[in-house]
Amino acid sequence: MEREMRGIWVASVANIDWPSAPGLSEETLRREADAILDRSAAMGLNVIFFQVRPSSDALYRSSLEPWSYYLVGNEFNKNLSFDPLQYWIDGAHSRGMELHAWLNPFRVTPKADFPTGPNHIAHKHPEWLIKYSAKLFLDPGIPSARDYVREVVMDIVNRYDIDGIHFDDYFYPYPSKGEVFDDSKSFNAFNPRQLTLANWRRSNVTAVIASVSEAIRQSKPWIQFGISPFGVWRNKKDDEKGSDTRAGVSDYDVLYADILNWIDNSLIDYVIPQVYWEHGNKWCDFDILQRWWGDRSTDDTKVFIGHAVFKINDGKVPGAGWNSKEEMPEQLRKVRRNDNLDGSVFFSYRQFNRNILGFEDYLSTDFYKDKALQVPLTKGRADKIRISHLERDGTTLSWEVEGDTSQVRFFVVYRTPRSESDQIGTNKTVRYIVDRPCVRLLLNQGKRQRYVYRVAAVDKYRVVHELSRRITVREGVED
């Protein structure tokens, strides 16, 4: 298929994926990043969700927040000669993939004594913080704390050529038995409409989502803004609009994330629910949830499914589902067959470093064998961009670009057997996605055959522009 979300989360928190440990040399940091990017591209993925702000800190150059401990260890004044986020952006784009900057909006530290730099928000504004379950959180009920989250986001948006801003599922914290998230002070001070506590909390989170959404669209409207919530919005027993599930946690009632409100009001461009259950789960069945979330898709907000590759064959989750090599492929096939869903995202990269029942091979040689463009989400397009002077020199195709080249994100190269070349404008097979006006052809080594190539520019809104002229290439070897 020509377009599909094929994403992967690359987590920095607790050094899950990158970096593999705090305080690595720059050479090692680059080498590890390149290995992840190369492998992701080889699997046929097209979007990297890179965690740049795990704990009110930064894996990018920031004047607002310090380097992350997960990057530099205790050397918070370390002078890196390269910008990690820029390196990931350049690396993703050069491999035909998008880069979405993933932030945790409200987590301050994963534990109360977590190492932080001198300009960390825990030191600058302790009055904004709430300690809960031995962790520190920004209080979403304080307007200035919400404004700060938007300021951090827009610092990234305005300085980096990213493709998306991505929030995960941590809004108000997951519950800890026997403890109370004590936001009574802000509830009493900043509740002019006299809302109930639950409605007030939901209004606080929605206020952040709305302000970030508006700021991004005013600054760079082609940047997507998306959320990856917990996989159950509400159970049907609590709300007739909810899913036929029996989850102990829900977005609406426990995390105070009013996802359907955000979709209905077009505040987000996409949602990636974490549907981390298998087929036949008695509490939360995958099939029920993929259909329920698909029915929430709109023209303005696309829905992708987040998959739990960390559960495959890990020996921790009982039952046949996760021990079957068909569990995850069947999840992907159902997502693809659902016309209301537009693809999948996997948590997380490190899981591909162990035996996951041949799943990586399934992606690279079967399900994602042909490349796919990213799904267009935002409205708008750049001015007309044309491909001219398409030429072939040996195994290299090159071309020139007419129009605003600053709005070009990628070039897509289509390849079709000459006998089917009349379909290249409709039944497109993507052969290459590149970020520069040339590509080295990987010629077919099978039976000799003629193929037709055409090229088009893809702008930052993900719109494909006018196709180039045709070039016919004879590939293969004689019988």
Side-chain angles (χ1 to χ4, degrees):
M1 55 199 312
E2 185 189 9
R3 290 186 181 271
E4 186 176 39
M5 166 61 80
R6 303 174 179 180
I8 193 163
W9 281 292
V10 177
S12 58
V13 65
N15 297 108
I16 289 175
D17 295 316
W18 188 92
S20 63
L24 298 177
S25 69
E26 293 187 20
E27 179 185 0
T28 302
L29 290 171
R30 291 186 177 95
R31 185 173 64 250
E32 288 188 354
D34 288 340
I36 294 173
L37 290 163
D38 285 341
R39 193 174 186 183
S40 298
M43 285 191 286
L45 306 181
N46 59 18
V47 179
I48 301 290
F49 295 90
F50 174 49
Q51 191 174 29
V52 301
R53 184 182 186 260
S55 301
S56 295
D57 48 13
L59 280 86
Y60 60 94
R61 296 195 186 281
S62 171
S63 61
L64 300 175
E65 298 190 310
W67 287 124
S68 173
Y69 169 81
Y70 302 120
L71 178 67
V72 298
N74 288 310
E75 297 182 72
F76 294 107
N77 294 320
K78 190 170 185 176
N79 183 24
L80 293 178
S81 67
F82 82 116
D83 183 327
L85 175 54
Q86 189 61 55
Y87 191 83
W88 276 86
I89 293 169
D90 293 341
H93 289 170
S94 70
R95 292 165 174 84
M97 297 184 289
E98 288 191 357
L99 192 291
H100 291 221
W102 162 20
L103 300 84
N104 185 293
F106 299 123
R107 183 169 57 208
V108 174
T109 61
K111 55 183 180 179
D113 60 348
F114 187 73
T116 56
N119 62 326
H120 193 270
I121 198 67
H123 308 303
K124 292 192 296 185
H125 286 286
E127 73 278 10
W128 291 354
L129 309 185
I130 293 178
K131 184 178 180 180
Y132 178 75
S133 187
K135 304 176 180 68
L136 293 177
F137 297 89
L138 279 177
D139 182 354
I142 299 176
S144 52
R146 298 197 298 266
D147 291 344
Y148 176 73
V149 170
R150 184 186 65 240
E151 184 181 4
V152 168
V153 170
M154 294 312 297
D155 179 51
I156 297 172
V157 167
N158 290 327
R159 294 195 296 114
Y160 292 94
D161 190 19
I162 56 173
D163 301 287
I165 287 289
H166 181 73
F167 283 178
D168 55 25
D169 55 319
Y170 293 91
F171 296 103
Y172 279 84
Y174 282 85
S176 180
K177 188 175 181 179
E179 295 193 51
V180 175
F181 187 80
D182 186 7
D183 53 358
S184 56
K185 185 175 180 180
S186 55
F187 177 66
N188 292 325
F190 304 110
N191 186 16
R193 291 185 291 161
Q194 298 298 297
L195 300 174
T196 65
L197 178 63
N199 285 335
W200 176 76
R201 286 177 173 175
R202 280 187 283 271
S203 74
N204 294 332
V205 179
T206 295
V208 171
I209 301 301
S211 66
V212 167
S213 176
E214 177 64 20
I216 292 172
R217 291 171 185 179
Q218 289 291 327
S219 177
K220 295 180 179 178
W222 58 84
I223 290 181
Q224 300 168 1
F225 178 38
I227 308 291
S228 175
F230 180 74
V232 175
W233 173 71
R234 294 191 92 186
N235 295 307
K236 194 171 186 176
K237 69 178 181 64
D238 300 315
D239 191 314
E240 63 179 11
K241 294 184 295 184
S243 54
D244 189 11
T245 51
R246 291 182 289 168
V249 172
S250 71
D251 292 308
Y252 186 89
D253 298 292
V254 177
L255 305 177
Y256 304 100
D258 196 357
I259 310 293
L260 298 196
N261 176 21
W262 308 343
I263 294 174
D264 291 343
N265 289 285
S266 301
L267 298 182
I268 52 178
D269 296 302
Y270 65 82
V271 59
I272 312 174
Q274 297 171 22
V275 184
Y276 289 171
W277 299 273
E278 74 278 18
H279 288 97
N281 185 288
K282 66 179 181 179
W283 308 107
C284 302
D285 178 74
F286 175 84
D287 218 14
I288 289 172
L289 282 167
Q290 64 92 6
R291 289 196 302 267
W292 187 90
W293 280 105
D295 290 342
R296 313 279 86 74
S297 176
T298 70
D299 289 342
D300 292 333
T301 306
K302 302 298 184 184
V303 179
F304 315 119
I305 295 297
H307 298 270
V309 293
F310 62 91
K311 289 186 175 181
I312 300 175
N313 195 33
D314 67 356
K316 297 177 182 178
V317 181
W322 295 115
N323 294 314
S324 167
K325 68 178 183 180
E326 278 299 302
E327 173 62 35
M328 192 59 69
E330 183 60 14
Q331 289 191 11
L332 299 193
R333 289 191 287 267
K334 285 187 174 178
V335 168
R336 185 174 279 180
R337 289 197 296 264
N338 188 332
D339 291 338
N340 295 322
L341 297 172
D342 288 281
S344 297
V345 184
F346 307 113
F347 188 85
S348 69
Y349 174 81
R350 75 182 296 176
Q351 301 306 319
F352 291 94
N353 293 328
R354 61 179 180 84
N355 173 27
I356 50 175
L357 300 176
F359 183 58
E360 180 175 356
D361 289 339
Y362 174 73
L363 294 180
S364 59
T365 64
D366 187 344
F367 203 71
Y368 291 162
K369 178 179 64 175
D370 296 321
K371 292 186 178 294
L373 290 167
Q374 297 81 1
V375 177
L377 303 179
T378 53
K379 295 179 179 178
R381 65 176 294 159
D383 292 337
K384 186 176 181 180
I385 303 170
R386 292 185 65 253
I387 302 298
S388 62
H389 300 96
L390 177 63
E391 304 291 344
R392 177 193 173 202
D393 181 8
T395 60
T396 300
L397 279 184
S398 60
W399 54 89
E400 295 181 7
V401 188
E402 297 178 359
D404 185 358
T405 58
S406 70
Q407 286 298 307
V408 175
R409 169 61 76 233
F410 296 119
F411 298 97
V412 57
V413 181
Y414 299 106
R415 172 182 177 266
T416 305
R418 192 174 68 168
S419 60
E420 303 171 15
S421 62
D422 59 328
Q423 301 179 35
I424 200 167
T426 55
N427 184 22
K428 301 187 183 74
T429 300
V430 177
R431 181 64 167 170
Y432 307 100
I433 303 170
V434 297
D435 68 341
R436 59 200 65 193
C438 66
V439 64
R440 185 172 180 82
L441 304 180
L442 301 175
L443 300 180
N444 170 39
Q445 297 301 308
K447 186 176 180 180
R448 205 151 179 81
Q449 188 175 1
R450 292 183 185 273
Y451 290 90
V452 171
Y453 285 83
R454 300 185 79 177
V455 180
V458 183
D459 68 30
K460 291 182 179 181
Y461 292 94
R462 298 149 195 91
V463 173
V464 178
H465 287 248
E466 180 182 325
L467 283 167
S468 71
R469 72 180 185 91
R470 293 170 167 81
I471 277 190
T472 301
V473 177
R474 192 175 186 185
E475 300 184 19
V477 295
E478 299 291 353
D479 293 337

